[in-house]
Each structure stands twice: as C-alpha cells, then as structure tokens.
Amino acid sequence: MHASESIRYQGTEVPVFNILYLNNKGVLSAKRVAVYHTAEDRNLVYGHQMTVASDVEPTNSEFPTFVSLRTDRVIDVFDTPEEAVAAFEQADARYADRIQQIKSAPDYHGPRLPQDYSFKVCFTGFSKADKAWLTELAESAGMKVVTGVSASLDFLCCGDNAGWSKMKKANELGVPLVRDVQIRLLVETGELPESYGESR
C-alpha cells in the first residue's frame, strides 16, 4: 500500500493511508489509517483510524479509534481522504468486481486466526468470573494480561463498572479503550470493531 503522509506516534514516524475498505460484515467505508504495526503473515495491520465515509458506521473526524484491518479487504488506496470519499460514493460502479472478489473469498467471514497476538491488555470493571474468562481468552491468543495502566499497554478493556481513574490515565497515555466484545471479535476474526455499537 502507498502511504501519502506520516505522523508521529509515541515518538515514531508512522505511515498514514487513505483507503476504501470492506469489513467482514459487508460494511464499506473510506478511512484514514495511521499504521503502527503490521502482521504480514496474517494480512493484518494495526493502528489508529478515522472513518470519513461509511454505509453504516458513524463518521468521526475528531477522535481517532484503534483499529485492526485485513489488508486483503482493502479495495483501493488514495493520496487524499477526499479521493477516498469520492471513491466511496462511486464504489458500486467503480469497484463492483473487487467487492465481489472479497466477498467470495473462502475466509471472508473470518476464520479463527493463529493465536499469537502479542498485545498487552488490562481488564477493568468486570466481575471476577467475567475477568477470569476474558483473561483466559486473551492469554490463549498470546496476549499478555496486566493489572496496571502504562504507556506500553495496547488496550484497556472496560466493563460496565470500570473506574474513572484507570480510564483517565489510559486517555492521558493514548491507550485505546475497548469493550470485551471487541477483544473477543479480534481473537475470532482478526478485526477489531472500531466501536462497541458496530460489534453488536
């Protein structure tokens, strides 16, 4: 993929891509994605993104969210977000064959991926039983479960009773806040829904 620009993320220059993307639920969207980690053997990239146009997802031009995307579901890459939006609006005519090709792939709905995610995750605001189940799920996928929030944390997974202090610290450090269903779908499909609503 061609990166049209870069930004600084945690002291490192990371590439920014303007893409047209089809997720495993058939949702088409135009996105700006700052990619800070790739897993080429699994066709995955991880980073922060903003959706600039979408069939159903809310668009948010102010606050980026963490995202995990399959590179084999990228329909096209553009120099500017405006070009990506224009392509989104003409997608039925311009990209019908590519969209059908993605949808007809045998693993389109997401196989269970190799369990080797090397993320650090902290669970907060869950019952003891739910936290134990989530810890087992995360560790079975290769994630490291920690109890505190630090700059090296990849996700703070928040339950309904999550304390404000941990969430505030995560926000200050730029650690993405996610819900348990997002972690579950990341393990199962390789995609992390960008919002709790999208994953329901």
Side-chain angles (χ1 to χ4, degrees):
M1 293 196 300
H2 165 70
S4 57
E5 60 183 291
S6 65
I7 62 170
R8 287 196 72 76
Y9 176 74
Q10 294 186 349
T12 305
E13 289 287 325
V14 296
V16 176
F17 300 90
N18 301 294
I19 65 171
L20 191 62
Y21 186 78
L22 187 73
N23 76 6
N24 66 346
K25 292 185 178 179
V27 175
L28 184 70
S29 59
K31 299 178 181 292
R32 283 175 55 76
V33 185
V35 174
Y36 59 78
H37 180 69
T38 62
E40 293 182 12
D41 56 327
R42 290 181 285 140
N43 294 324
L44 294 173
V45 296
Y46 308 97
H48 282 85
Q49 64 99 54
M50 290 184 288
T51 298
V52 292
S54 172
D55 285 341
V56 299
E57 298 170 14
T59 57
N60 188 332
S61 60
E62 190 174 357
F63 300 107
T65 55
F66 182 85
V67 70
S68 167
L69 300 174
R70 292 268 302 263
T71 55
D72 55 344
R73 294 184 187 150
V74 173
I75 294 171
D76 207 346
V77 183
F78 306 92
D79 288 331
T80 67
E82 291 78 18
E83 289 176 11
V85 170
F88 168 80
E89 292 170 350
Q90 303 164 7
D92 288 343
R94 290 177 59 185
Y95 297 103
D97 290 345
R98 175 70 179 128
I99 290 170
Q100 186 55 42
Q101 178 189 26
I102 293 171
K103 286 184 174 181
S104 61
D107 65 346
Y108 172 62
H109 291 289
R112 190 167 184 85
L113 295 170
Q115 298 179 338
D116 59 353
Y117 295 100
S118 57
F119 298 119
K120 277 188 183 176
V121 61
C122 175
F123 296 105
T124 186
F126 296 97
S127 69
K128 187 174 180 179
D130 286 344
K131 188 172 183 178
W133 181 85
L134 287 165
T135 297
E136 183 179 345
L137 174 71
E139 289 178 344
S140 73
M143 297 183 200
K144 182 176 181 182
V145 178
V146 298
T147 57
V149 176
S150 67
S152 66
L153 189 66
D154 292 295
F155 306 113
L156 178 63
C157 185
C158 302
D160 292 337
N161 298 313
W164 172 242
S165 59
K166 277 189 175 178
M167 292 193 292
K168 182 174 182 289
K169 186 174 182 181
N171 277 323
E172 289 170 351
L173 295 172
V175 173
L177 304 179
V178 298
R179 297 297 298 253
D180 55 327
V181 69
Q182 293 172 271
I183 293 291
R184 178 175 57 79
L185 288 173
L186 172 63
V187 172
E188 291 175 355
T189 70
E191 289 185 337
L192 184 76
E194 61 191 82
S195 70
Y196 177 60
E198 185 199 338
S199 60
R200 299 176 80 169

